[in-house]
Amino acid sequence: MPSHSDADTTASPLESVKHLLRQAWRDLLSVYYANTPIWRLFKSAGLLFFGFFCWSASSLVLSYGIDWTILEYTRAYGFVLILWGPLTHAVIVPLVIRLRRTAEHPVVRAIARNGSKINLSVFLAIVLILGTAPISPMLLDFQSTLENDSGSDVNPDLSCTRSDGVVSCELSESEGVDSVVVISGNNQVTRVEEPPFEFTFREDELEEVVGQKEFVVELRDEDDDTLRRYRRSVASVPEA
Amino acid sequence: MAHTLDVLGLFDNEYRDDGFRTCSVTGLEVHRSVDNYVKLFGLTAVVALLFGGIFAFTVAMTRWEVIGLLEPADFYTHLSMHAWNLLIFWMVFMEIAILYVGGPMVLGRRLPITTVAKAGWAVMVGGAVLVNYAIWTTEPPNEAPLLTAYVPMPVSPLFYAGAIVFILGTVVAALPFFVTMWYEKRENPGKTLPLVSFAAFVTSIIAVEALVGGLFAFVPTLFWRLELIEWWDAAWYRQMYWIIGHGTQQINLVAMIAVWYFLTHVVAGAEVVSEKVSRTAFILYLFFINLGAAHHLLSDPAVSTGWRLWNTSYAFYGATFASLIHAFAIPAGIEAGRRKRGKGGGLFGWLTSAPWSNPVFSSTIFSIILFGFLGGITGVMMGQLQLNMTWHNTFATVGHFHATVVLGTTVAFMGLAFFVIRTMFMRQYISERLASIQPFFYSAAMGVAVLMMMYVGILYGVPRRTAEVVENIPGTEFSLSAAAPLFAIFGIFALLAIAGGVLFVVVAVGSLVFGDRVENGDDNADLVADGGLAMAQDPDDPVHAYEMRGTFVLCLVFLAAFAITYLLNWYLLTQLWSIGA
């Protein structure tokens, strides 16, 4: 037979709200104590994902310079939940349920009776402590490191002109560049080792791709690793 | 009687003289021709999955720069192989199999014009091999195309030829499905199609639209690449390309939802709460889903603001609305169907009492949950003009489509493959336990890997498609090394997810080769929903008389997650622009 809600349809609105809240609390408790393998998995995985979300979202908002204290606590809550959620529902709740049935020692029985409260209290205490005094693993670093010892940014402008079938190029600056290589297709067209890295090559040395002659200029460091690549088609190079 | 091309007994089922057999799980009349071609396309899809999965390893281990497996030049080739084999070949071969399931199998018909189906398969395989060859042998001046061989980037002409051949093969392979629909409607003009067939038909229309778009993109580009025409318009190419580029993913989406309806009904006893509402949602997809492609062009100079607004902030919501309907209708169908079978104690008893050890069921449910929470919500955000700017071309985009295509479609298709192994190949799993564990293991590991992709993209602005960013951006002071801890989590869980994928292939292929044969209906009794499927057709006990409060609560949780994520992204955008500061 179809099941129907047991709420009395003639009850007052206040009674209905009370009933709804009571039912919601009972549902919440039944979900908290649900102890089949699939429920344990659901709750553990759900809280792990929720913890990740709270932690990263709070960290993200904080990284934008929004200095709300509550975010420090939601960040701590999320961070602790990543571990504590699965711990609670995969270990502690099943243990509490088992101890309530089997424990005989009065101390163990007392712990079993209040196990969930103890667990939640410890969890909240850790959240409060970490919210107030965060430890480094929970702090995502959002500052992009400026590696001063690696030298300055290498990003010169490459300007090229062409005249009578010859392409001439130069770099706006040469700092940090050890060599410049011009490539077309699989072939190295020219290589320049000395600053100021002005170089020329003939258009007919270039390979043609889909009707256009194209070349790549690579700036290399002292280990011959590529720092920057510029791709140009001859058609786009202005006449001198 | 064995099939003429039987290999390892895989095409050897018992059929009556008329070529049909009665499926002991679904009760459907299945013709030999349908069985054989579903198997053929399904097996080919798994081969593509295996091949693309190998490149998942090399790609993930390069992006996890602590390993840094490949050089930048090789990385893009591997990434292209990964993308084409998993996003296209694994998906499309499976989708043709799904069309044959949703069409002739559900309608109890034989597959017509099987020679055409065979030819379609051969042409598709030829196209797939050609695309793989073209990508793998890429040499300068050509570039590995990934999925965006944007004009005027030079890409091997063989690649365009292979893509065109594959598209044509897919159209040919889909023809028997359309002929089936034609015969069905001609013989039963006043009868509506079953919901799964209807969904497959909508899928096929979206597929044809996407494939025609692909031909419009690739054919002239091939001519340009062969230098038969001098010039091709880059903006035109991008516009046409994304009809297939994103359209193929919309085929995945609609096919996946068809699979959800089919499998939840068969293995969990789900009923359709409202046929009309579900059908309306599919029709909304028909009109609006392809507009999702617009989000790729939102940073392009070639399209007007009006075009962007129309495609991303108005019409696109038609598709979102459809998805939200399915997001309610499918779990509601499961809840009501299971309550009807007396399996629905409490708020979520219908869900927790479900057959979770059955990999067909668990795959389907994980697909629904993870697609909705991780793929769907982020998809709607990325599809919006303003929020797109914070996601565009970051690693978070990669996280989004792994959430949709891997956690959604691939997981659902894995469930379907598990189902086909038992009901069409008639093989028991080589290990029940491994088969049961696989969906949990794969979905969980991939879920965390996907979250990390989103986080490094959104939190740090880590770009996509690059081999390295954390350790070294050559020649620059700028560094993303702060993202390294999350990349470490990504790397570990990517490895675990790949192990989950390997487990799927081991169980699937191992079962086909070494699994015990399913001899009679009782061997598959564990696949049938509690109480049997016959209960679903009881007119005196309408499904909507059963409460669906569990689904309502789940939808509220989903809505809350949606609202929080949406507001958070908008809030961050306002901060970025300093609005109101």
Side-chain angles (χ1 to χ4, degrees), chain A residues 96 99-100 105-118:
Chain A
V96 164
L99 285 179
R100 281 180 185 172
H105 194 280
V107 176
V108 182
R109 288 192 65 79
I111 292 173
R113 210 168 39 248
N114 299 298
S116 292
K117 292 190 201 86
I118 296 168

Side-chain angles (χ1 to χ4, degrees), chain A residues 38-54:
Chain A
I38 191 64
W39 263 120
R40 289 202 294 262
L41 184 86
F42 262 159
K43 290 184 288 185
S44 301
L47 290 178
L48 183 143
F49 274 77
F50 185 59
F52 257 127
F53 176 79
C54 289

Side-chain angles (χ1 to χ4, degrees), chain B residues 267-432:
Chain B
V267 298
E271 298 193 21
V272 181
V273 177
S274 169
E275 284 262 350
K276 281 182 185 169
V277 171
S278 292
R279 283 170 199 268
T280 305
F282 279 114
I283 290 173
L284 284 172
Y285 276 155
L286 195 59
F287 288 111
F288 298 116
I289 193 79
N290 269 351
L291 302 179
H295 85 79
H296 294 277
L297 304 173
L298 293 181
S299 298
D300 264 31
V303 290
S304 68
T305 305
W307 183 93
R308 294 171 213 218
L309 285 172
W310 167 255
N311 281 289
T312 58
S313 298
Y314 293 99
F316 180 61
Y317 291 136
T320 307
F321 182 47
S323 290
L324 293 177
I325 289 173
H326 293 306
F328 178 79
I330 292 176
I334 299 174
E335 179 171 7
R338 293 192 64 74
R339 284 190 192 280
K340 190 172 176 179
R341 287 166 171 76
K343 300 283 180 184
L347 189 62
F348 294 121
W350 54 278
L351 193 58
T352 54
S353 68
W356 286 99
S357 60
N358 178 354
V360 182
F361 176 78
S362 56
S363 294
T364 310
I365 297 299
F366 289 142
S367 165
I368 294 170
I369 293 173
L370 294 170
F371 177 89
F373 277 89
L374 295 180
I377 292 175
T378 54
V380 174
M381 289 191 304
M382 284 178 65
Q384 200 180 37
L385 178 62
Q386 297 89 338
L387 296 184
N388 184 271
M389 283 183 280
T390 60
W391 284 70
H392 190 79
N393 274 340
T394 70
F395 208 33
T397 306
V398 185
H400 157 72
F401 65 69
H402 277 79
T404 53
V405 179
V406 183
L407 289 173
T409 312
T410 294
V411 173
F413 286 4
M414 283 175 170
L416 186 66
F418 280 126
F419 182 74
V420 168
I421 288 168
R422 292 284 296 274
T423 59
M424 295 179 98
F425 284 104
M426 297 294 184
R427 293 289 188 282
Q428 299 285 4
Y429 306 130
I430 42 166
S431 164
E432 289 282 342

Side-chain angles (χ1 to χ4, degrees), chain B residues 533-548:
Chain B
L533 288 175
M535 288 184 69
Q537 280 92 42
D538 184 355
D540 296 329
D541 196 4
V543 66
H544 54 258
Y546 292 86
E547 62 180 357
M548 302 162 199

Side-chain angles (χ1 to χ4, degrees), chain A residues 1-5 23 27-28 30-31 34 36 38-39 41-42 45 48-66 68 140-148 150-155 183-186 207-212 214 225-229 231, chain B residues 139-143 152 154 224-227 230 339 346-349 351-353 356 365-366 369-370 374 390 440 443-444 447-448 451-452 455 458-460 470-471 473-483 485-486 489 541-542 545-547 549 561 564-565 568 571-573 575-576:
Chain A
M1 280 297 292
S3 59
H4 298 284
S5 166
Q23 184 64 42
D27 284 340
L28 191 69
S30 70
V31 168
T36 58
I38 191 64
W39 263 120
L41 184 86
F42 262 159
L48 183 143
F49 274 77
F50 185 59
F52 257 127
F53 176 79
C54 289
W55 174 48
S56 60
S58 306
S59 300
L60 178 62
V61 179
L62 282 166
S63 78
Y64 275 71
I66 297 151
W68 295 349
L140 289 173
D141 177 12
F142 289 96
Q143 303 304 314
S144 63
T145 318
L146 294 176
E147 294 166 350
N148 294 325
S150 68
S152 59
D153 213 358
V154 180
N155 195 21
I183 301 166
S184 182
N186 266 336
E207 283 195 22
E208 191 172 282
V209 191
V210 282
Q212 327 190 44
E214 192 177 72
D225 289 332
T226 304
L227 299 169
R228 283 281 184 274
R229 294 179 99 225
R231 183 186 289 273
Chain B
E139 280 195 356
N142 288 319
E143 305 278 355
W224 163 76
R225 186 61 189 83
L226 291 171
E227 299 179 39
E230 272 189 24
R339 284 190 192 280
L347 189 62
F348 294 121
L351 193 58
T352 54
S353 68
W356 286 99
I365 297 299
F366 289 142
I369 293 173
L370 294 170
L374 295 180
T390 60
F440 289 86
S443 304
V448 176
L451 268 184
M452 291 308 120
Y455 286 171
I458 282 291
L459 296 175
Y460 297 99
V470 171
E471 298 292 317
I473 302 176
T476 176
E477 293 175 330
F478 187 70
S479 165
L480 290 167
S481 59
L486 292 187
I489 303 175
D541 196 4
Y546 292 86
E547 62 180 357
R549 63 195 176 103
I564 291 169
T565 315
L568 182 68
Y571 183 69
L572 296 175
L573 190 65
Q575 292 303 304
L576 201 63

